[in-house]
Amino acid sequence: MSNKVQIQSSVNGEIVDFLCDPQETLLDVLRNRLSLTGTKEGCATGDCGACSVLLDGRLTCSCLVLGVEAVDKEITTIEGISEKDGLHPIQRKFLERAALQCGICTPGLIVATKALLEKHKDPDEETIRYWLAGNLCRCTGYDKIVRAVQDAAKELSYEA
Amino acid sequence: MAEAVDYKIIGERPVRPDGVDKVTGRAQYGADLSLPNTLIGSVLRSPHAHARIKSIDVTAALSMQGVYAAITSEDFASPDGEVGGEAAGSASDLAKNVMATDKVLYHGHAVAAIAASTKEIADLALDAIVVEYDVLEPVLDIDEAMKDTAPLLDPDCYTQNLPEKAEKPSNIASVMQLSGGNLEEGFAAADIIVEGEYNIPMAHQGYIEPHACTATVNEAGQATVWCCTQGHFEFRSMTAALLGMNIADLKFIASEIGGGFGGKTVVYLEPVAVLLSKIAGRPVKMTMSREEVFRATGPTSGTHCKVKVGAKKDGTLTAASAWLAYEAGAFAGAPMGPGAMCIFAPYKLENFFVEAFDVLVNKPKVAAYRAPGAPQSAHAMEIALDDLARELEMDPIDLRLKNAVQEGDQATYGPKFPRIGFKECLEAAKNHPNYKTALEEGTGRGVSAGFWFNVGMQSSAEVHVNENGTVTLVEGNPDIGGSRASMCIMASETLGIEYESIRAMIGDTESTGFSNVTGGSRTTFATGMAVVQACEDIIAQCKARAAVTWGVDEDQVEWQDGQAIPAPGVNADVKPLSLADIASQAHKTGGPLLGRASLNAQGPGPSFAVNICDLKVDQETGKVDVTAFTAIQDAGKAIHPDYVEGQMQGGTSQGLGWALNEEYIFDANGVMENAGFLDYRIPVASDLPMIDCHIVEVPNPTHPFGVRGVGETPIVTPLAAAANAVRDATGVRINDLPLSPPKILEALDGND
Amino acid sequence: MAKVIFPDHLLPFVGGNREINIEAKRYRELVEILETRWPGCGIELEKCAVAIDSQIYQDAFLEDLLSESEVFFVRKIEGG
């Protein structure tokens, strides 16, 4: 009953080949076929953002994309955010600001923040809140998340 | 006020020890484990809210290729008695909730389960299961459910706690009363009386991680279960009871947990996965969809409350009464007890009467949710007090200050209060700059106060000193909000070694002692106490080792700043021995250093909170925008203030969601119409302002560092704070939640 | 004599007495005396938490009672 498709794409800078069913989501491919479980499933309907990835640089819910659509695309997941010499400043600021409690939404929020800060170097609070409105967090009330993003923006613009 | 104690690290804000794994995607949550050869488990759920099951036929499903097991309630044990622990309740009800027996009692109630090689095959197999139902009329409205004429969910349910034994069955599972003084005299002495009637619909805990587990059972019948849980020891007890298994044959490993808020204190999937794995002989993984989470787990009770409060002209309360009906969902056990005990708890009140009802309805069985029962009843009382303050033309904080309880006052739920910080919270609110800022046009300000008992319960901890003097802490409480950091801080302070040289791990059920759930605001308090005692055990051992090394008596050694030193006046020409020094020589002085403690912590210390909420109401659309929010709470002592603030901000966010948007919407057949995050809308980042926190510290005398639990109180207050602010902004009082645009528009129109 | 206070839901099991005084040195002894006086009430008391001089115990057993102690039975408290 299976008619799997072979797909090649780039995940976190590495060319990968995988087989997937035509109806299989990119989220399932990442988690179940590539063992990249840092990308989380919170709803599978595109409402919570826990599965956020960058698809050719664009912030995307991987539960709304089919695995077969990832052909020849560049995908960045939470596992590809760290830098060679350690944590990315966004990750570090999330830790320093205690911007996570349970941590299940954190990978998605960090990916979303990366997309935000690539587009807006110096976002105001409102811009941050609207950019992150697709990423649900039930633990923090977002206060410390917004502050972490502000800190990260400051550090990144300082670096640049 | 708090005594100033000069701590080295308590009160600092170090990075949590499990942080890096959580910002890099390494941390393993409930659904992240993959074992070789794993099958997928899926649950067939009832399409009816109330029906008798005539028959279930799984033969067609079982005969499909790729299907390895199919189970129904007949495959479970028939437990009786209570299941212990935090989520204590009837074992037979828990079993029936995990898998329906003769009746389905809510839409989404589990009926059968399948293990298959893929999710697709499992879903096809579920379709092939034939269930014959005799559909019954659902009972969906709490007031209707309480009537004599209502259809019965359980014909064997006779109301408990009545003065006379109930003669016929009822949907009212139990009642309770609290009373004091003389209500009539109290109301007669009042210059002014306010009353109100308040409705709040069911709401869900809304953790972002759906329930998930993997179970594997070997040929000897020994099972290992990985799952996201607030308490793996209690999950083990429940699973053992439901399956008639020996606890010794069940090993539970808690994964990281993506939120719980009380909702992950009871089993749904775990016994099912164990049973499927036992039959199939292969590991079985089960994950809920978000829709299943909404339809079949949590939520908390919808309520119908009535409150009446009398006061003198100067604001002194003379009497209060309350009638509180809580939806239990399909099985008895609504949190009406704590709701009744909390409603008047913050106030000095001689004459009072509370009656509360635990009511069965054809909706999912409620689970604990952050200060279970308290937000609903506090919403009623705190609105009534706001109305009272308006009529008396009195500042709402002053009104509360006038009646606030303090140490030695008799609580309406019984005993006298130990040392508490309610007045300190109210004063902090009154003096807070946010209470003094001028309000913009169209904006309103609301105040409310709240109380929660907190609990202690059982915890275990071990401290292993490594050969270089670093430390591994082992405890049994899943870390949901940074508790590893708090444990490491308390160990660092006690032992006198650096925070960075301590690591905390959550042991599975075979590697540490029994621990109750991470819940009830108890972890930093109770497990923290166990960690401190285990560290003190290490210190005692270190002193003995130093004494042996120096050839002196044990009582001639003291522990100071992380090292053993000779006691004052002891004439010994020796160099202090650090933990690392002692550890490196431990093999000569008696072997490895292992400290441990287990306890049943008592005296958790009640926690109070006060909120100030500013919000703006759009008169055209009815949309509410919270523009500023101030949360004030007594934490006793904040071990890691970031994570205390985190609890306050998170509880606020959940409370505001409940106040403004969140609700279970059922159709006439009892089908939840908004079972997804698009339509059950929890607050998103753009819905909220920064949430300003002010931590009050009135130490709890029973904890070595003065800790009070902080996790639950924050959700008690925001419901009324928002409602009172809407009243202030619009001039219209709305007693029902949520304060969603349609409800606000309707109220505004009615006012024109 | 310790002062013992019962909540409404326990009254049917303790002869309708809201408040009584009992001579007992420990909580366990107190419960034994109550059970002797009103057979069967022990099971109900077991389901309760108890506050002894302001401190709530979910599982009291060996706690000491002073001559002026106040002992309140309350419902067990859960949490989220």
Side-chain angles (χ1 to χ4, degrees), chain A residues 9 11 18 40 63 132:
Chain A
S9 58
V11 178
F18 56 84
K40 306 299 180 190
C63 72
L132 301 183

Side-chain angles (χ1 to χ4, degrees), chain A residues 1 21 23 31-32 37-45 47-48 50 78-79 82 87 91-92 94-107 110 125 128-130 132-144 146-147 150, chain B residues 13 15-16 19-20 22-25 27-29 31-32 120-121 124 204-210 257-259 261 288 290 369 480-482 642-643 645-647 649-651 653-654 662 677-678 680 682-686 688-692:
Chain A
M1 61 193 283
D21 290 320
Q23 74 277 18
R31 289 180 55 82
N32 302 336
T37 56
T39 305
K40 306 299 180 190
E41 178 178 317
C43 68
T45 51
D47 298 313
C48 80
I78 184 64
E79 289 90 348
S82 296
L87 294 177
Q91 293 170 313
R92 219 173 53 244
F94 265 66
L95 290 181
E96 289 170 5
R97 276 288 187 181
L100 53 140
Q101 285 177 37
C102 80
I104 194 83
C105 69
T106 309
I110 285 172
E125 186 187 331
I128 294 171
R129 287 187 180 276
Y130 277 93
L132 301 183
N135 291 79
L136 298 181
C137 169
R138 192 60 159 171
C139 295
T140 65
Y142 306 102
D143 184 301
K144 293 185 192 304
V146 173
R147 291 179 203 274
Q150 288 170 331
Chain B
R13 302 171 186 242
V15 166
R16 62 195 289 169
V20 171
K22 285 180 175 160
V23 296
T24 54
Q28 297 263 302
Y29 290 80
D32 295 343
E120 292 66 36
I121 295 173
L124 289 171
H204 199 274
Q205 292 79 351
Y207 33 80
I208 306 300
E209 178 198 34
I257 168 172
F261 315 109
M288 279 198 195
R290 178 55 53 183
Y369 181 19
I480 319 186
D642 272 345
Y643 292 110
E645 290 166 7
Q647 292 296 317
Q649 292 164 336
S653 170
Q654 287 184 315
E662 296 178 31
F677 276 140
L678 186 63
Y680 183 97
I682 71 173
V684 304
S686 54
L688 294 172
M690 291 298 188
I691 297 162
D692 296 333

Side-chain angles (χ1 to χ4, degrees), chain B residues 401-623:
Chain B
L401 264 171
K402 180 142 198 105
N403 296 286
V405 287
Q406 58 187 2
E407 184 174 1
D409 284 337
Q410 200 91 45
T412 48
Y413 61 83
K416 290 196 172 103
F417 278 109
R419 194 163 178 210
I420 49 173
F422 185 32
K423 284 200 166 169
E424 287 82 349
C425 288
L426 286 164
E427 311 246 342
K430 198 157 182 216
N431 296 321
H432 200 285
N434 290 3
Y435 195 57
K436 294 171 180 163
T437 52
L439 284 169
E440 280 176 39
E441 178 75 29
T443 309
R445 177 167 294 157
V447 164
S448 84
F451 156 85
W452 184 250
F453 314 89
N454 296 331
V455 296
M457 307 207 291
Q458 301 179 83
S459 289
S460 305
E462 290 111 58
V463 174
H464 300 264
V465 182
N466 302 317
E467 58 268 36
N468 65 350
T470 59
V471 161
T472 306
L473 285 180
V474 186
E475 38 124 349
N477 278 104
D479 178 353
I480 319 186
S483 57
R484 284 185 186 90
S486 304
M487 299 307 148
C488 291
I489 288 176
M490 286 185 273
S492 165
E493 188 75 42
T494 309
L495 291 170
I497 63 170
E498 291 198 346
Y499 172 83
E500 289 74 17
S501 49
I502 305 170
R503 297 283 184 278
M505 72 163 280
I506 317 303
D508 60 54
T509 54
E510 288 182 355
S511 46
T512 189
F514 183 91
S515 298
N516 282 115
V517 293
T518 298
S521 306
R522 65 172 221 92
T523 304
T524 307
F525 171 73
T527 308
M529 211 186 268
V531 165
V532 169
Q533 288 184 11
C535 290
E536 285 166 349
D537 185 8
I538 287 291
I539 290 171
Q541 294 178 39
C542 283
K543 282 156 79 174
R545 306 289 179 104
V548 169
T549 309
W550 293 335
V552 301
D553 290 340
E554 273 179 47
D555 59 8
Q556 293 181 307
V557 182
E558 283 194 356
W559 189 259
Q560 203 178 72
D561 295 332
Q563 48 186 14
I565 55 167
V570 173
N571 189 16
D573 183 21
V574 292
K575 212 165 72 126
L577 291 173
S578 68
L579 188 60
D581 294 334
I582 296 169
S584 71
Q585 299 302 312
H587 57 290
K588 296 180 189 162
T589 56
L593 291 161
L594 160 59
R596 52 186 189 175
S598 61
L599 48 80
N600 187 349
Q602 312 294 349
S607 167
F608 288 85
V610 178
N611 285 171
I612 308 162
C613 173
D614 290 2
L615 53 75
K616 197 174 212 160
V617 179
D618 186 318
Q619 304 277 331
E620 298 294 314
T621 62
K623 182 175 184 290

Side-chain angles (χ1 to χ4, degrees), chain B residues 313-388:
Chain B
K313 281 199 189 92
D314 69 352
T316 309
L317 300 181
T318 61
S321 65
W323 180 96
L324 312 169
Y326 281 65
E327 291 177 336
F331 300 97
M336 50 91 165
M341 288 159 72
C342 282
I343 181 166
F344 301 139
Y347 306 108
K348 279 186 286 195
L349 204 51
E350 261 177 49
N351 309 302
F352 61 91
F353 178 73
V354 185
E355 62 181 331
F357 303 86
D358 179 10
V359 185
L360 301 180
V361 288
N362 290 114
K363 298 179 182 178
K365 161 76 171 83
V366 301
Y369 181 19
R370 220 169 190 156
Q376 296 98 319
S377 63
H379 167 261
M381 177 60 177
E382 295 296 314
I383 286 181
L385 287 183
D386 197 66
D387 289 339
L388 193 60

Side-chain angles (χ1 to χ4, degrees), chain B residues 638-678:
Chain B
I639 300 296
H640 190 310
D642 272 345
Y643 292 110
V644 173
E645 290 166 7
Q647 292 296 317
M648 294 162 74
Q649 292 164 336
T652 295
S653 170
Q654 287 184 315
L656 286 175
W658 201 355
L660 300 177
N661 268 310
E662 296 178 31
E663 62 178 318
Y664 266 53
I665 301 170
F666 292 93
D667 72 10
N669 297 316
V671 179
M672 185 189 182
E673 292 186 306
N674 57 335
F677 276 140
L678 186 63

